[in-house]
Amino acid sequence: MIIMAVGWQVYHLTGRVLDLGLIGLSQFLPFLSLVLFAGHAADQFDRRLIILICLCAHGICAFLLLAFALGDLKSTLPIFAVLGVLGVARAFQLPASQSFVPTIVPAASLRNALAVNSSANQVATIAGPSAGGVLYALAETGLGRTSGAEMVYGAAAILLVAAVVTVLLVRKRRAPSVRS
């Protein structure tokens, strides 16, 4: 949702198509630079904590983008800086979340859980930008040209707070005890 809204907001600010490419680049470079280190971190540290920190970073970024949209920002540099932080958070969140399911699901249910997790990720990849686009269009149509980004960032921030609360409720399963 956020990236879709950023694209439209930046295009409305500058009218330059090049800036749309820079949006992707500002997220991809931090991700590419950190992906190996992030995988190592996911293996060495508590994955749940990594996911929580990354979701909090996403939430802070959503609130910053909302503040930029409400504040009638004239430059795209702060937006690109926030997108860089999002790229860093995604670099760490991806390996941690991919390897998190086996730590919370019993071994007997692991295949089904991995299939559901993969399907949910695919649905989110499609539904997130779609929902963001619909919300953006409805807000612009009903409330004015600049309100689309505000509405999407606000909705994303609320959803990210809900995600943080949900992850806080997840508990690791206990390792099976070895009987002698």
Side-chain angles (χ1 to χ4, degrees):
M1 287 176 64
I2 289 174
I3 300 311
M4 185 285 316
V6 165
W8 277 105
Q9 181 187 19
V10 167
Y11 188 73
H12 283 168
L13 280 172
T14 67
R16 292 187 309 250
V17 177
L18 175 64
D19 288 337
L20 298 177
L22 293 176
I23 288 169
L25 190 63
S26 64
Q27 294 175 86
F28 179 70
L29 285 180
F31 180 86
L32 182 65
S33 302
L34 295 170
V35 72
L36 293 177
F37 178 73
H40 179 71
D43 291 339
Q44 298 298 315
F45 300 104
D46 181 10
R47 293 175 184 123
R48 181 176 168 264
L49 181 61
I50 293 171
I51 293 167
L52 278 171
I53 291 169
C54 292
L55 286 172
C56 288
H58 274 83
I60 290 167
C61 289
F63 281 113
L64 284 170
L65 290 168
L66 176 60
F68 296 159
L70 289 170
D72 197 32
L73 190 67
K74 300 295 182 202
S75 171
T76 57
L77 290 178
I79 294 172
F80 290 131
V82 168
L83 292 176
V85 173
L86 278 173
V88 170
R90 283 191 179 138
F92 283 90
Q93 185 177 355
L94 184 65
S97 62
Q98 285 179 338
S99 58
F100 188 58
V101 173
T103 66
I104 61 173
V105 175
S109 303
L110 187 57
R111 285 187 185 169
N112 290 337
L114 290 173
V116 167
N117 185 50
S118 177
S119 296
N121 283 333
Q122 290 299 318
V123 168
T125 299
I126 295 166
S130 300
V134 168
L135 184 58
Y136 196 99
L138 290 174
E140 277 199 345
T141 301
L143 303 172
R145 181 175 174 182
T146 61
S147 57
E150 297 164 4
M151 195 66 71
V152 172
Y153 298 147
I158 291 167
L159 291 171
L160 285 161
V161 168
V164 167
V165 170
T166 303
V167 172
L168 285 171
L169 297 173
V170 172
R171 299 286 175 233
K172 284 186 182 180
R173 66 180 161 87
R174 293 183 186 164
S177 59
V178 178
R179 294 186 181 179
S180 306

